[in-house]
Amino acid sequence: MQTVLKIGTRASQLAMAQAHEARARLMKAHDLPEQAFEIVPITTTGDRIQNRPLSEAGGKGLFTKELEEALYDRRIDIAVHSSKDMPTVLPEGLDLSTFLPREDARDSFIGKTARSIADLPQGAKVGSSSLRRQALIRRIRPDLDVVLFRGNVQTRLRKLDEGVAEATILALAGLRRLGMDHIATDVMALETFPPAPGQGAISIENRVGDEAVTRMLQPIHHVATGQALACERAFLAALDGSCRTPIAGYATVEAGGLSFKGLIITPDGTVWHEIEAQGDAASAAAIGRQAGADIRAKAGTQFFEGWF
């Protein structure tokens, strides 16, 4: 059968699982067989860099650049992403148009010697590449030794087995999509360990004005997830969020209403500011922008200048 849609994705097992989920939803929505959708794995710069933090290498765009080039070149029709990896500003001519129903947004704790972060012995090593997770770990347990932990899920688990660290923290959604959530020894509470904006949500990027593709994507777009992500991404954009900025944000939508909680924290975990906002889900982006402006005013310019 002729290919109807080429689906671009990063080549990791988790990214491929997300592309398979997008394909399955498209197959069901349009009553088309699997072979109508070609999955095109693409290795990104972010996948190749394993020896230093992304904040030093160029930030979130490292996971999207090659996929976006493939969209421009029409080698693919859509790109499937982890929403939390997406920069807040997209290249001209591209649109983050579609969001699949969100998975659990919480982080999971995976311990080799302890079942939770509270149970770790003093001075234990915890591996993470996320500045947000590093800062939140230090806020909860300033005595712990936080070490850099780059790589995909399988690489990080191998590092645990090799004794590089005694524990790590990974998104619960990713483990669930890989059928590996049983390895989580604890799930971090949203109140004490808020997620990254976009965590748990799969997003689809496509070319602006490509009407045939837009029509295919429309039936699989989850409106409530799209509204929640509009709020979270606007909050991030208002704070100039990047991989160098420890920022958390999580919005929920119910019965047309939106509730949002956001946090900014210094990398050492010693100073943080929180914000809450509510409103009509139809005004999601405006709520996020205002929350970002409010928390920036609350923290003061010195908060950002002193660290970033």
Side-chain angles (χ1 to χ4, degrees):
M1 180 178 178
Q2 184 179 0
T3 299
V4 176
L5 207 67
K6 290 187 176 182
I7 303 171
T9 176
R10 290 167 59 197
S12 72
Q13 286 187 40
L14 176 55
M16 291 293 286
Q18 293 177 163
H20 289 159
E21 180 177 337
R23 179 177 65 184
R25 291 181 181 276
L26 286 164
M27 288 166 55
K28 183 176 181 180
H30 299 285
D31 193 24
L32 287 170
E34 186 175 294
Q35 56 265 39
F37 302 94
E38 179 186 353
I39 292 180
V40 183
I42 296 171
T43 300
T44 68
T45 304
D47 295 313
R48 288 191 289 266
I49 296 172
Q50 299 291 319
N51 60 349
R52 64 191 194 275
L54 288 180
S55 57
E56 296 177 4
K60 294 184 177 186
L62 296 173
F63 284 127
T64 62
K65 178 175 176 285
E66 284 81 2
L67 287 164
E68 290 168 341
E69 288 173 350
L71 278 170
Y72 279 136
D73 296 344
R74 296 185 176 270
R75 285 176 282 137
I76 60 174
D77 300 303
I78 63 173
V80 178
H81 301 285
S82 293
S83 296
K84 70 176 180 178
D85 290 338
M86 295 301 294
T88 55
V89 178
L90 300 180
E92 186 177 355
L94 300 181
D95 181 29
L96 205 61
S97 65
T98 306
F99 295 89
L100 304 187
R102 193 176 206 166
E103 245 290 3
D104 196 315
R106 292 176 296 174
D107 279 309
S108 61
F109 179 88
I110 303 166
K112 299 298 287 186
T113 59
R115 294 196 61 81
S116 71
I117 194 168
D119 295 334
L120 283 169
Q122 188 164 348
K125 284 185 167 61
V126 181
S128 178
S129 61
S130 158
L131 288 189
R132 173 190 59 88
R133 288 176 181 146
Q134 291 173 0
L136 292 173
I137 291 166
R138 292 175 176 129
R139 178 171 78 158
I140 297 169
R141 288 286 306 272
D143 61 290
L144 296 177
D145 182 9
V146 183
V147 298
L148 180 66
F149 231 45
R150 285 292 326 282
N152 59 34
V153 172
Q154 290 73 23
T155 300
R156 297 184 202 193
L157 294 178
R158 187 185 72 245
K159 288 180 179 180
L160 273 189
D161 290 337
E162 293 170 350
V164 176
E166 294 172 51
T168 190
I169 293 173
L170 297 173
L172 181 58
L175 294 181
R176 285 188 172 175
R177 291 186 176 116
L178 289 168
M180 297 174 61
D181 49 310
H182 61 278
I183 71 170
T185 57
D186 192 27
V187 177
M188 314 297 283
L190 290 170
E191 294 73 26
T192 56
F193 215 90
Q199 184 159 307
I202 296 171
S203 56
I204 298 177
E205 188 177 19
N206 60 286
R207 292 181 292 271
V208 173
D210 198 332
E211 297 301 329
V213 171
T214 300
R215 283 195 299 271
M216 290 207 73
L217 292 175
Q218 192 276 329
I220 68 169
H221 175 61
H222 191 253
V223 173
T225 299
Q227 291 170 329
L229 269 288
C231 177
E232 294 170 24
R233 286 174 57 76
F235 177 71
L236 198 60
L239 294 168
D240 192 27
S242 70
C243 282
R244 295 181 298 193
T245 314
I247 296 173
Y250 183 57
T252 56
V253 174
E254 189 173 347
L258 181 144
S259 297
F260 173 76
K261 291 184 179 180
L263 172 143
I264 55 175
I265 184 169
T266 52
D268 66 356
T270 60
V271 182
W272 61 87
H273 297 277
E274 297 171 299
I275 194 90
E276 293 189 26
Q278 293 82 33
D280 192 322
S283 303
I287 294 169
R289 279 193 297 272
Q290 188 60 54
D294 290 346
I295 203 169
R296 180 181 282 278
K298 185 178 180 182
T301 55
Q302 189 175 359
F303 179 91
F304 295 93
E305 291 170 356
W307 292 97
F308 311 125

